Amino acid sequence: MADCTTLDSLLEMGFGRNRAEKAVAHTGNQGIERAMDWLMEHENDPDIDEPYVPPAGNTLGPAEEQSQSPTEIPESIEDTEEGNARQPMTEEERKEQVKRLEDLMKARQEERRERERQEGIEREKQRRKQGQELLQVRQKLQDDEMKKLADQRRKEKMEDRLAKQRVKDKIARDREERAQKFGGGSSSTGLSSPPAEAPALSPPENQGAPPAKKDYDDCRIQVRLLDGTTLSTVFKAQEPLAAVRVYVQMNGANGQDFNLITPYPRRVYTDLDMEKPLRELGLVPSAVLVVTKK
């Protein structure tokens, strides 16, 4: 009964001859387990099923064996094993050895699948972590936008109150003037009253000026996206145009590359413009930008 070599065992387990010969040659014929490990590690190699060609200066065997063709590798390996005074195996022993090797290979494959599953779990954890970080960034941007809108509403309400107060003061002055005109008041009283009213008129007008200047510290930007929807938010006048670009990327760009333009007058903003403040680009106190494909 012939001895069961590593190559024979691999062939009986269902491996192709080219794969088996490569496994035996690349592991230096150091046993079936080493050969199976090599096959599992290289099963996806594009040339795994091509005939084995010994490399130049092959040192896997004696000098006289280096000149042999790939089909002669099993014979040299078998000759080497036959020289080790191993006892021939019976057919039952051969089958038992093949079964043991198949069980070993299944165990190795199961270990690899488990390792790949653990790696997949780790990748999923990393993906979820990155998603949470991105969600936090988006939430912060939304919170900042809500804060800016709230500040803008407070300013608008303050302006409304000041405007109403100016109207009330104007009405009161008109009433007083009509009462003096039709009530027979002395000319001296009519002449003296306007100077007295002039200081009362100046404070509301002076109070109205600072809010107008503060409005220009902010910039309301409306962005028209590719699908026709719009985004609207408020930025600081000193913020660069890049802040608007980041906002669009986070809320509606869907990973697409795009340009920002103003329709009237038409202007396409370049990478150099992204570093310029909104005030310098003439977008203060408000502007409409359009997203276009690059």
Side-chain angles (χ1 to χ4, degrees), residues 87-276:
Q87 295 296 326
M89 298 175 63
T90 64
E91 187 65 23
E92 182 177 354
E93 289 174 341
R94 181 188 295 270
K95 291 180 179 179
E96 182 179 354
Q97 184 183 24
V98 171
K99 184 178 182 304
R100 180 179 63 82
L101 295 175
E102 288 177 349
D103 293 340
L104 178 61
M105 185 173 181
K106 290 179 180 179
R108 295 286 177 84
Q109 290 174 341
E110 183 63 28
E111 290 177 359
R112 185 178 64 177
R113 283 193 293 267
E114 178 63 21
R115 183 172 63 254
E116 292 175 350
R117 188 180 69 84
Q118 293 295 333
E119 292 175 353
I121 292 175
E122 290 299 323
R123 287 194 297 269
E124 179 65 17
K125 288 181 179 179
Q126 290 295 327
R127 186 187 66 80
R128 291 184 179 181
K129 181 180 178 181
Q130 293 174 354
Q132 291 176 353
E133 292 175 351
L134 181 60
L135 183 61
Q136 291 175 357
V137 172
R138 288 182 176 176
Q139 185 64 40
K140 185 178 183 304
L141 289 175
Q142 292 177 356
D143 292 343
D144 293 343
E145 181 180 358
M146 293 300 295
K147 184 178 179 181
K148 291 178 181 178
L149 291 176
D151 293 340
Q152 183 67 22
R153 292 192 188 100
R154 285 195 293 270
K155 292 177 181 179
E156 291 173 354
K157 289 180 179 179
M158 178 64 72
E159 291 178 5
D160 291 340
R161 285 197 295 268
L162 292 173
K164 290 178 181 179
Q165 184 63 40
R166 287 194 293 271
V167 172
K168 289 180 181 180
D169 293 342
K170 182 68 167 59
I171 293 173
R173 289 194 299 272
D174 291 343
R175 287 178 179 176
E176 186 176 352
E177 289 176 358
R178 285 196 300 269
Q180 292 173 357
K181 181 177 180 180
F182 297 104
S186 62
S187 60
S188 61
T189 305
L191 294 173
S192 61
S193 59
E197 292 174 359
L201 180 62
S202 59
E205 294 177 355
N206 292 336
Q207 291 176 1
K213 292 182 179 179
K214 290 183 180 179
D215 286 343
Y216 291 96
D217 292 337
D218 294 332
C219 177
R220 180 178 291 276
I221 298 293
Q222 186 181 64
V223 183
R224 189 183 309 157
L225 302 177
L226 294 171
D227 59 1
T229 59
T230 59
L231 299 174
S232 181
T233 187
V234 178
F235 296 89
K236 291 295 183 183
Q238 294 302 324
E239 287 189 82
L241 184 59
V244 180
R245 182 178 183 86
V246 172
Y247 176 77
V248 174
Q249 288 174 335
M250 298 292 293
N251 292 273
N254 297 325
Q256 298 181 357
D257 198 5
F258 60 88
N259 287 326
L260 289 175
I261 70 171
T262 50
Y264 303 106
R266 179 178 175 83
R267 176 178 178 181
V268 179
Y269 293 101
T270 64
D271 293 338
L272 295 178
D273 293 328
M274 293 298 155
E275 303 300 326
K276 297 180 180 179

Side-chain angles (χ1 to χ4, degrees), residues 277-293:
L278 299 177
R279 185 190 302 278
E280 182 179 338
L281 294 173
L283 301 177
V284 178
S286 64
V288 176
L289 299 178
V290 179
V291 175
T292 62
K293 292 182 179 180

